[in-house]
Amino acid sequence: MLENWVVLPTCLPLVRRRCHPCGAGHFRTSGKFRVNAHHKLLDVWLLALCTTCGETTKLTVLERVNVRSVRPGLLDRLHANDPLLAAELLQDPAVRRRNRIALDWSGAWRLDTGAPAHGDRSAHVDHEALDVSVRFAAEIPVRPLRLIAEGCGLPRAEVARLLAEGKLVSAVRLGGRLCADFTFTLKR
């Protein structure tokens, strides 16, 4: 039996960065941009608010870029405060590196197994073997053992035991964190 699971973002992740006024470590972005023009040069920031004190920080997206070098479609999305654009930019390694930030995906994703919401998920493991393809809709670092436990309705200790016994196999290492698509087979 082959199943397809998808890891989906439910909201924008928290931004991990130290707040200078209060010392807190997380900022929440609503997807609002600030676009500032200096003659023919353009600066663009993604705005984020401290989760503790509400202080605003600006995450640099573009800095002193010639207006003509920015695609008109991108400029329209920036002016419209497109939340999908904010999600794309937060995923961009260059933006994260430039601003020295990391993302905290805790509580900002869900696993869609294709099963009914109120159905018994432990029914997944009643078959002889279960082949699952897990796809990530965004680069969300998640522990595969946690996904498998949640998707099959099993405790994590049981999933770890199945892995140790060789009844849970995958071409990727299931012990760390992954944010790339993978497949696994669960044998009963």
Side-chain angles (χ1 to χ4, degrees):
M1 181 173 172
L2 177 64
E3 291 194 13
N4 294 307
W5 294 357
V6 182
V7 178
L8 299 165
T10 56
C11 61
L12 292 174
L14 291 177
V15 174
R16 279 194 276 190
R17 180 185 205 177
R18 186 177 167 279
C19 178
H20 294 292
C22 75
H26 287 93
F27 285 82
R28 181 174 312 281
T29 180
S30 62
K32 301 234 186 265
F33 293 95
R34 175 153 185 227
V35 181
N36 196 12
H38 305 278
H39 302 287
K40 293 181 183 179
L41 300 178
L42 197 66
D43 288 324
V44 178
W45 299 281
L46 177 61
L47 303 178
L49 299 174
C50 177
T51 57
T52 305
C53 70
E55 180 73 18
T56 301
T57 189
K58 297 185 291 187
L59 305 175
T60 303
V61 176
L62 298 174
E63 190 170 39
R64 302 290 177 187
V65 175
N66 192 312
V67 174
R68 291 182 184 257
S69 68
V70 179
R71 294 185 325 268
L74 175 62
L75 201 52
D76 291 341
R77 290 177 74 189
L78 290 167
H79 284 296
N81 292 318
D82 185 354
L84 294 176
L85 179 60
E88 290 172 24
L89 291 171
L90 284 174
Q91 293 281 320
D92 186 355
V95 171
R96 291 197 316 249
R97 206 173 24 257
R98 177 186 301 135
N99 292 286
R100 294 187 208 118
I101 61 169
L103 301 180
D104 183 355
W105 283 96
S106 303
W109 62 272
R110 71 179 176 84
L111 177 64
D112 181 13
T113 61
H118 301 292
D120 181 19
R121 286 194 281 179
S122 61
H124 287 292
V125 294
D126 291 341
H127 302 285
E128 197 65 30
L130 177 67
D131 292 319
V132 178
S133 170
V134 180
R135 189 176 59 81
F136 287 79
E139 287 187 30
I140 304 170
V142 181
R143 295 186 186 281
L145 291 180
R146 178 181 177 192
L147 285 178
I148 295 167
E150 184 177 323
C152 294
L154 297 170
R156 284 191 220 173
E158 175 74 11
V159 174
R161 185 185 63 76
L162 291 169
L163 179 64
E165 291 176 358
K167 293 183 177 180
L168 175 61
V169 293
S170 179
V172 298
R173 191 173 146 261
L174 298 175
R177 289 183 182 262
L178 283 178
C179 57
D181 301 352
F182 70 98
T183 59
F184 69 89
T185 301
L186 179 62
K187 303 171 191 169
R188 290 300 277 175

